[in-house]
Amino acid sequence: PDLDHPASVATHRFSVFSWLACHAVRPLSATVYSLTRGRRDHGRGTHRGLTHTAVGAVLLGLGLNLASAAWGTPVLLGTLFVCIALAIKGLDALVPGPPSLVIAAGLTYAVQEWVPGGTAGTAGWLGTAVTLGMLVHAVGDAVTESGAPLLWPVPIRGRTWYPVGGPRVTRFRTGGAVESWIVAPALTVATLVLAVLVVPGVLPVFLAVRDQVQRLL
């Protein structure tokens, strides 16, 4: 979703390729915003626009599923690599730039070679996973100070790009202390727990490591 911001991690993650994607997403979002804006909408629609809506998430997921049905493995591998590379962006503090992309490529290869069914097993639901990921991202943005237009094009208070969000008192600033010290660590722990519980073969390895550590202690 943050490909609509020229300074985002996503825009700089894949060099010229993500830069080009950003400069395609921003004018597209601005055009849709201009064509569908309500009488009380203001701004340009280039940031937290189309990619932060439920409709945009569904359309991208559907497009990925249709593309994977038409072109198969290359689309699945490419999508998986991009998603994994963005998921491990937190490694940049320890493994800057290209090495973390190498890690992402290695994990993508591991999925293809060793996870039952490989990337072929993701056909039909990978786009759904991307849709859910975009929605979770947008909901996360909705609890920040600016909100997110999740319900576009439903008109709310004269605005079709109404920034949905929780009560003002519960919102926090993007990149602020709450996000850095509470939200990010909680999401990191949740991701690790989910990986252990969901990815085939990870739980037995985790249990074996735990037992070994207990014996050493």
Side-chain angles (χ1 to χ4, degrees):
D2 281 347
L3 279 174
D4 65 359
H5 195 295
S8 70
V9 171
T11 297
H12 294 275
R13 189 64 169 164
F14 306 103
S15 186
V16 66
F17 302 104
S18 50
W19 183 88
L20 288 172
C22 172
H23 285 76
V25 168
R26 281 173 65 81
L28 172 62
S29 182
T31 299
V32 175
Y33 181 90
S34 177
L35 292 173
T36 62
R37 63 187 301 173
R39 58 183 174 81
R40 296 186 61 191
D41 283 317
H42 54 82
R44 295 179 296 174
T46 51
H47 179 47
R48 293 198 181 182
L50 185 60
T51 58
H52 288 72
T53 66
V55 171
V58 170
L59 288 176
L60 180 59
L62 180 61
L64 283 173
N65 279 342
L66 291 174
S68 66
W71 295 297
T73 301
V75 173
L76 296 173
L77 284 173
T79 303
L80 195 60
F81 169 73
V82 168
C83 291
I84 291 176
L86 292 174
I88 63 172
K89 67 181 182 294
L91 286 175
D92 278 352
L94 300 175
V95 190
S100 61
L101 296 181
V102 172
I103 294 172
L107 289 173
T108 303
Y109 176 80
V111 170
Q112 177 71 357
E113 292 297 316
W114 296 312
V115 171
T119 52
T122 68
W125 65 260
L126 189 58
T128 303
V130 169
T131 292
L132 290 175
M134 290 183 67
L135 289 174
V136 169
H137 177 108
V139 169
D141 279 349
V143 298
T144 64
E145 293 176 342
S146 300
L150 270 163
L151 300 181
W152 173 84
V154 177
I156 301 175
R157 299 178 183 176
R159 304 176 68 176
T160 53
W161 295 87
Y162 184 83
V164 175
R168 288 288 178 184
V169 69
T170 65
R171 300 190 191 187
F172 55 87
R173 183 171 58 85
T174 302
V178 173
E179 183 176 41
S180 300
W181 294 100
I182 298 177
V183 177
L187 289 176
T188 300
V189 171
T191 301
L192 292 174
V193 171
L194 189 63
V196 170
L197 295 178
V198 174
V199 178
V202 173
L203 182 58
V205 173
F206 174 79
L207 294 175
V209 171
R210 184 201 63 181
D211 293 341
Q212 185 65 25
V213 170
Q214 287 178 341
R215 282 194 294 270
L216 291 174
L217 294 176

